[in-house]
Amino acid sequence: MKVAKKVAFLQGNEAAAQGALYAGCTFFGGYPITPSTEVAEVMSVELPKIGGKFIQMEDEIGAMASVIGASLTGAKVLTATSGPGLSLKQELIGYACIAETPCVIVNVMRGGPSTGMPTGPSQSDVMCAKWGTHGDHPAICLTPASVQELFEETVRAFNLAEKYRTPVMVMPDEIVAHMRERIVFPEPGELEVINRTAPTVAPAEYKPYDTSFGDVPPLAAFGSGYRFHVTGLNKGQDGFPTTKAAWVQAEEERQVRKVDANVDDIVQFEEYELADAEVAIVAFGSTSRSARFAVNEARKQGIKAGLFRIKTFWPFPDKQIAALAGKVKAFITPEMNLGMCTGEVKRCAEGKAAVHGIFRVDGEPINPGQILEKIKEVK
C-alpha cells in the first residue's frame, strides 16, 4: 500500500530550513535579523538531532566566515540574513567566490537601504546578489514565489553550490518568507541531491584549482588527509597566491565561465498564457502571484496578457526575454523596488518592445488591481 506523503502547514522561512536539511546541510552559522530569524531558529533545533552543528556568531561577518570554514571541512553549509546583514557579508561572499567554496545564503528581502523597513516586504536586494561584492565573480540567485517552492529552491541552491563550487543565494521577499501555506514534503531521493566532486588523485598530487579536470575542479575536505592552501588572493592551481598576469586572467575568466557556460542548466522560469500574449508581465517572488491573478482577470476581459515568472534571477533569463520581446507589444514589470528588474528587461528587449514598470517601496505589496490597471493602460 502506498504511504501518503507528509503534509504540513509551514511558514516560508521554516520551509527554507527544511529544504536545507533535505539537501544534506549539517552546519548553520548565522546571526538573527528580521525577517529571516526563523530559518536560524529551525536549524538550531533540528541540526543537533542529526549530529550537525549550529552556531550563532557575534555578527554577520563572523557568520559568513564560519560557513566558509565549515564548508572547507566538507560540510554542506547555510547562513540566513536580510538587508543590512547581507551588506556585512559581502566581503566574505567575495572570498567564497574567489576561493570557490560552496555555501548557500538565504536572504529575506526587506525594505532598505540601511535599516530601512525591517518588517516590510521588498524586492530590492537582487542587484546586491550580483554586484554587492567587488571584482568579477559568478552569481547565482534564486527567487521563489511560494512556500513549497522555497523548500525546493533551497534544495536546488545546495545542488548548484556544490556542483559549481560557488556561493548561491536564495532570495524570498518577506511576504513569501512569512506566509504560511500547505507544503508536501518530498520523499528521500525524490528530489535530486548533488554532492561536490571529491578528488581522485593521491593527497600528494592534489591541486585545489587543477583545471585539467575542467572549469570546476574537485574539492577535497580538510581533515580527510588532503592539505591545501586557501586564500582570498588571486591564486595558481596549487592555491598559493600569484601575480602572473596570464594565470590571473585565465583564473578569473574560468570562475565566471563556469556559471556563464552553464546558463541552461541553472536558469529556471515559468511561462503562463504567453502563447498568444500581446502584453507580457515579467515578475518574481510574491509579486508574480498578483501578476498571475491580473493576467487571469485580463483574459476574462478579452485582453491577451501573459506572465513570465523569473525563478532564477541570476543568471538573468536573457535569451527568453529577448525572444519574448520579438513576440509581444509590451512588457510590464511590477516589482517592490524602483526598477531593478525593469532595467534588465529593457536591456534584453533592446527596444523591440516597450517596457513599463510598476514600482512600490512603501512596504505594501503590489496588488492585482495595480497590474490589471497597467495592462489596460498599455494594451
Side-chain angles (χ1 to χ4, degrees):
M1 185 177 70
K2 189 175 182 180
V3 179
K5 290 184 178 180
K6 180 183 176 182
V7 177
F9 190 60
L10 282 190
Q11 184 195 73
N13 281 337
E14 296 170 341
Q18 292 295 336
L21 294 166
Y22 185 97
C25 177
T26 57
F27 182 90
F28 180 96
Y31 186 81
I33 180 171
T34 302
S36 74
T37 302
E38 294 87 356
V39 180
E41 290 176 346
V42 173
M43 297 302 280
S44 72
V45 173
E46 298 299 327
L47 278 175
K49 296 178 183 178
I50 60 171
K53 303 296 181 184
F54 171 92
I55 184 168
Q56 179 176 311
M57 298 297 289
E58 70 276 12
D59 56 31
E60 296 283 3
I61 301 170
M64 193 65 214
S66 74
V67 297
I68 292 172
S71 180
L72 289 169
T73 70
K76 289 186 176 182
V77 301
L78 175 70
T79 189
T81 191
S82 186
L86 183 65
S87 297
L88 287 169
K89 289 181 184 292
Q90 288 301 335
E91 181 180 358
L92 281 158
I93 290 173
Y95 190 103
C97 286
I98 199 167
E100 299 182 68
T101 309
C103 49
V104 174
I105 302 140
V106 172
N107 175 70
V108 181
M109 291 187 283
R110 72 188 220 188
S114 190
T115 310
M117 192 179 296
T119 59
S122 173
Q123 295 178 312
S124 58
D125 294 353
V126 288
M127 286 299 169
C128 196
K130 185 173 177 65
W131 306 112
T133 191
H134 60 281
D136 291 296
H137 58 87
I140 300 177
C141 174
L142 314 180
T143 49
S146 69
V147 174
Q148 182 78 49
E149 195 167 78
L150 187 43
F151 177 101
E152 294 168 356
E153 288 296 90
T154 302
V155 175
R156 189 163 77 95
F158 275 91
N159 289 343
L160 293 171
E162 298 289 315
K163 188 173 183 178
Y164 295 110
R165 280 188 66 173
T166 192
V168 175
M169 294 192 194
V170 183
M171 283 198 170
D173 54 71
E174 183 275 338
I175 294 172
V176 175
H178 276 162
M179 68 169 56
R180 290 187 177 272
E181 292 182 317
R182 178 180 185 270
I183 177 174
V184 180
F185 285 93
E187 296 292 334
E190 185 176 344
L191 295 183
E192 182 182 23
V193 172
I194 295 173
N195 299 313
R196 67 191 64 171
T197 302
T200 55
V201 299
E205 301 171 5
Y206 178 64
K207 294 180 179 179
Y209 306 101
D210 187 349
T211 55
S212 65
F213 291 93
D215 284 344
V216 187
L219 179 58
F222 281 122
S224 64
Y226 289 81
R227 298 178 64 183
F228 57 97
H229 192 265
V230 179
T231 178
L233 294 165
N234 287 111
K235 74 280 183 187
Q237 293 190 359
D238 58 3
F240 285 92
T242 182
T243 56
K244 291 184 179 179
W247 288 14
V248 172
Q249 181 82 16
E251 179 71 2
E252 294 228 0
E253 287 179 351
R254 177 186 63 78
Q255 290 185 62
V256 173
R257 185 174 63 241
K258 69 183 180 182
V259 169
D260 287 353
N262 292 285
V263 165
D264 292 340
D265 178 55
I266 299 168
V267 171
Q268 290 189 6
F269 53 88
E270 179 191 6
E271 295 178 305
Y272 180 70
E273 296 284 9
L274 284 174
D276 64 344
E278 296 178 353
V279 178
I281 317 300
V282 179
F284 61 99
S286 65
T287 305
S288 67
R289 299 167 70 121
S290 292
R292 179 185 286 263
F293 191 96
V295 165
N296 290 337
E297 291 301 304
R299 288 275 172 177
K300 290 176 185 177
Q301 298 178 31
I303 303 171
K304 294 179 179 179
L307 169 65
F308 184 94
R309 182 168 73 88
I310 298 172
K311 293 177 64 176
T312 308
F313 201 96
W314 301 114
F316 199 75
D318 291 17
K319 292 190 300 183
Q320 291 77 18
I321 298 296
L324 200 53
K327 300 176 182 178
V328 300
K329 296 178 180 178
F331 288 104
I332 296 173
T333 51
E335 50 187 324
M336 288 186 284
N337 61 58
L338 293 178
M340 295 179 182
C341 181
T342 301
E344 291 301 299
V345 173
K346 285 181 177 179
R347 175 180 62 81
C348 296
E350 296 182 325
K352 296 175 184 175
V355 183
H356 305 269
I358 302 174
F359 312 138
R360 287 196 79 159
V361 290
D362 58 359
E364 294 294 325
I366 296 174
N367 61 61
Q370 286 180 277
I371 301 172
L372 181 59
E373 183 179 344
K374 181 66 73 170
I375 292 172
K376 292 177 179 180
E377 179 185 320
V378 307
K379 75 179 181 65

